[in-house]
Amino acid sequence: RPAIIAFTTAGLTASQLIVRKFARIKETGCTTHDVLNAYHVHNGYLDPRDTLSKTIASVITLGMGGSAGPEGPSMLLGGGIAAVLSRKLRVSFHNLKRFFLSSAAAGVAAVFRAPFTGIFFALEIPYMRDIEYDVFLQAVVSSVTAYAMFVLICGPSHPYASIKMGFILTPNILLFSVVIGIIMAFLGRGFTALYGRWRKYAISLRSHMGSKGSVALSVIGGVVVGLMGLVDIRCIGMGSAFLHQMMSGGYRELVMVLVLILVLKMLTTCTTLNFGGVGGLFIPTLFIGAVFSLAFAEALGLTPLEVYVAVGMASMLASCFKMLFTPVMFVAEVYGPFSIIPVSLAAVVSYMLSGPVSVVSPQFRHRIGPKAVAFSELLYTTMETKPSVLRRLKVRDVMTTHVVTINSDVRVKEALSIARRYGFTLYPVVDRDGMLLGYVSMDELVSLFEEGVDVPVTHALKSAVTVRHDESLYEAGQKLAESGEDACFVVDKSGRLMGMVLTKEVARILLRILFT
């Protein structure tokens, strides 16, 4: 068992060295980020060096005990091969992104032997609250083909073939499905926040430790993962065997032991993917949902256990990945149609309550226009080439403190007079204490005025993107890119307005950084 530490340390260190030596984008971590970055920023292009090196690194991470998912290398290979072939075959410019994303989703369909999961993955993964419907036809063809070819070559075996579910749907099952969905919304947000903090912590350590910091962090991360594996070996690796036992409903364990496994799995996953490992987050997220729901059902004496495990997996996936149909389809393809109603109910509740927060990035909230796409490409290109400069610059260095505000009790006619005087296109709305409530735009005010409506400006209030003055320019840029807004507003801890940052000003700074 002590050899576990040597394996995990060697795995994370080797993965880090391979990526830093051979990849163009020298960042390890969740491969869904690479897929989304290529899709949103590079028009569906993934450099062959990234495809090959990160696929190998992912296999090493998984094989040596790192906590990650096998969909990672499958997505990279599918998307990377499509990116090269589509350009060799001179596929039209507008179809490049579609072929890339549908081929990455085909990797998901093949590795899970679940074609409908692959189809809906392609439709849902680019956005938190939207559907990429343009890719539907390509996703159907690629996912079904990938599934058929995998079965033809490897046989019809399924990773969870022995799972059979049949039960009578009762009000009790529906009630506790909703309860699990509510809990998973907050557990998913907690895991997302933990993963984000771990990433910031790793980046900060790497910048302070210099050029050899990445390798040193991989060694530290490998030792930490190995030590947690010594506490309970089920928290490291893919965990497929343990996950299968939980999904089949035949596994029993003390509730406190399950809680320990849950905490350790969250920590090992965050450490693996932020300290040098490469892989997916899909399976670890399912694992966390399954462990919690099993502990919940065991504590309350609920049966059948496999129903609640299915509900927990789907709702955790919906919370973390901001996908609604994909988790339902995955569970339905694994368990059969009996599970759809309670699983759908829990997934909807978790999806709605967890809010627009995702464990993967860049996953935009909605489909964005051409200007926002151009800004996103500029932001992420700068981040790839000069990350240290972008992280060193703070919001306070670029924000403007001379902001014209409108009080919340001001009416439309008076607000237009203010707008006529200053000539800006948007204005933050504050209360009497200077607390930011949102913002109003000129076009909304003019529309209300033309309708002859003279109401308080709060009737035209829009939600504002907010940042703190000590956040990095990259973090502020991410929020602007994902929202598609023209500005974000700087607030203090209490929510009082301090200033604002314009998207066009950030773009000007990014161009200066990029070409200096």
Side-chain angles (χ1 to χ4, degrees):
R1 287 175 68 90
I4 291 173
I5 298 176
F7 273 99
T8 54
T9 304
L12 265 61
T13 305
S15 298
Q16 179 72 258
L17 288 172
I18 288 170
V19 171
R20 291 193 66 81
K21 176 69 175 177
F22 299 106
R24 187 181 70 87
I25 301 176
K26 303 183 184 301
E27 284 193 10
T28 55
C30 178
T31 51
T32 308
H33 168 80
D34 294 287
V35 170
L36 288 175
N37 190 52
Y39 180 74
H40 286 303
V41 179
H42 299 298
N43 197 41
Y45 181 71
L46 193 61
D47 193 287
R49 291 173 292 174
D50 291 334
T51 301
L52 187 59
S53 63
K54 292 187 179 183
T55 298
I56 294 171
S58 184
V59 171
I60 292 172
T61 298
L62 295 170
M64 301 294 275
S67 179
E71 77 283 358
S74 297
M75 288 172 59
L76 280 175
L77 274 177
I81 292 171
V84 173
L85 286 180
S86 59
R87 283 160 176 80
K88 292 285 186 183
L89 298 174
R90 300 183 183 277
V91 173
S92 65
F93 182 81
H94 297 292
N95 282 322
L96 290 173
K97 290 175 67 174
R98 300 175 189 175
F99 278 97
F100 171 79
L101 184 60
S102 60
S103 298
V108 175
V111 76
F112 294 127
R113 272 77 106 202
F116 286 102
T117 300
I119 293 168
F120 281 100
F121 182 88
L123 298 177
E124 292 189 290
I125 194 62
Y127 307 107
M128 298 184 199
R129 297 289 195 241
D130 215 332
I131 294 288
E132 188 60 285
Y133 48 80
D134 291 338
V135 81
F136 176 71
L137 182 60
Q138 291 90 339
V140 170
V141 173
S142 62
S143 294
V144 172
T145 303
Y147 169 74
M149 291 301 295
F150 194 96
V151 169
L152 185 65
I153 296 170
C154 301
S157 62
H158 193 282
Y160 310 110
S162 63
I163 294 176
K164 304 293 180 186
M165 181 186 288
F167 63 95
I168 298 174
L169 190 62
T170 64
N172 208 41
I173 290 176
L174 294 178
L175 173 63
F176 282 108
S177 294
V178 172
V179 173
I180 289 175
I182 293 171
I183 297 172
M184 284 301 175
F186 295 100
L187 182 63
R189 284 193 68 120
F191 177 60
T192 299
L194 179 66
Y195 186 84
R197 287 196 185 96
W198 235 245
R199 189 159 189 80
K200 288 181 181 178
Y201 183 57
I203 290 170
S204 176
L205 283 176
R206 200 174 290 124
S207 63
H208 282 92
M209 295 172 72
S211 58
K212 296 182 180 179
S214 296
V215 176
L217 279 180
S218 298
V219 173
I220 294 170
V223 171
V224 170
V225 171
L227 288 172
M228 286 189 277
L230 288 178
V231 176
D232 196 309
I233 198 169
R234 290 169 289 189
C235 72
I236 63 174
M238 291 184 287
S240 298
F242 184 44
L243 183 60
H244 181 271
Q245 289 178 324
M246 291 188 289
M247 292 170 69
S248 64
Y251 187 81
R252 297 290 189 278
E253 185 60 270
L254 293 173
V255 173
M256 291 306 298
V257 174
L258 291 172
V259 172
L260 175 64
I261 295 172
L262 172 69
V263 173
L264 289 175
K265 186 63 176 180
M266 293 172 74
L267 292 174
T268 54
T269 302
C270 291
T271 305
T272 296
L273 294 179
N274 289 313
F275 283 73
V278 180
L281 272 169
F282 197 97
I283 285 293
T285 303
L286 290 175
F287 188 102
I288 292 166
V291 172
F292 175 84
S293 53
L294 179 60
F296 180 85
E298 288 275 26
L300 298 182
L302 303 176
T303 56
L305 289 177
E306 59 268 31
V307 175
Y308 296 105
V309 169
V311 164
M313 289 193 304
S315 51
M316 186 67 180
L317 202 60
S319 175
C320 291
F321 278 77
K322 288 300 164 291
M323 298 187 296
L324 184 55
F325 298 108
T326 304
V328 175
M329 284 298 105
F330 175 79
V331 172
E333 288 186 292
V334 170
Y335 282 103
F338 301 101
S339 61
I340 288 180
I341 294 177
V343 162
S344 299
L345 191 60
V348 168
V349 170
S350 181
Y351 177 83
M352 296 302 295
L353 290 182
S354 57
V357 179
S358 175
V359 76
V360 294
S361 66
Q363 190 182 39
F364 298 150
R365 190 174 300 188
H366 299 285
R367 295 165 69 94
I368 56 178
K371 283 200 306 182
V373 170
F375 177 77
S376 301
E377 291 176 353
L378 178 60
L379 174 69
Y380 290 109
T381 300
T382 309
M383 188 60 194
E384 289 169 6
T385 54
K386 298 187 178 179
S388 59
V389 178
L390 208 52
R391 288 197 174 103
R392 190 168 60 247
L393 275 174
K394 301 297 181 183
V395 168
R396 59 174 171 264
D397 300 324
V398 300
M399 74 180 194
T400 177
T401 55
H402 302 292
V403 182
V404 179
T405 61
I406 295 178
N407 290 327
S408 56
D409 56 355
V410 168
R411 304 183 81 83
V412 169
K413 192 173 182 180
E414 185 182 348
L416 280 172
S417 298
I418 296 172
R420 193 181 305 116
R421 190 183 317 148
Y422 292 99
F424 300 130
T425 56
L426 53 86
Y427 297 86
V429 177
V430 297
D431 63 13
R432 292 180 180 179
D433 298 320
M435 307 292 285
L436 180 68
L437 302 177
Y439 76 94
V440 291
S441 60
M442 270 290 294
D443 54 349
E444 293 284 345
L445 294 175
V446 170
S447 296
L448 288 172
F449 180 75
E450 289 176 346
E451 293 172 13
V453 179
D454 190 24
V455 293
V457 291
T458 50
H459 284 254
L461 199 65
K462 295 181 179 179
S463 297
V465 177
T466 59
V467 295
R468 298 280 294 279
H469 75 284
D470 55 350
E471 288 186 39
S472 69
L473 183 61
Y474 175 63
E475 291 172 306
Q478 271 190 310
K479 291 181 179 180
L480 286 170
E482 291 170 7
S483 65
E485 296 285 356
D486 293 326
C488 61
F489 300 91
V490 187
V491 295
D492 61 16
K493 291 181 180 179
S494 62
R496 188 173 285 104
L497 183 67
M498 297 177 63
M500 64 188 295
V501 178
L502 296 173
T503 302
K504 62 181 181 182
E505 182 60 31
V506 176
R508 194 176 295 118
I509 293 169
L510 292 175
L511 286 169
R512 195 182 307 142
I513 294 171
L514 197 59
F515 295 105
T516 299

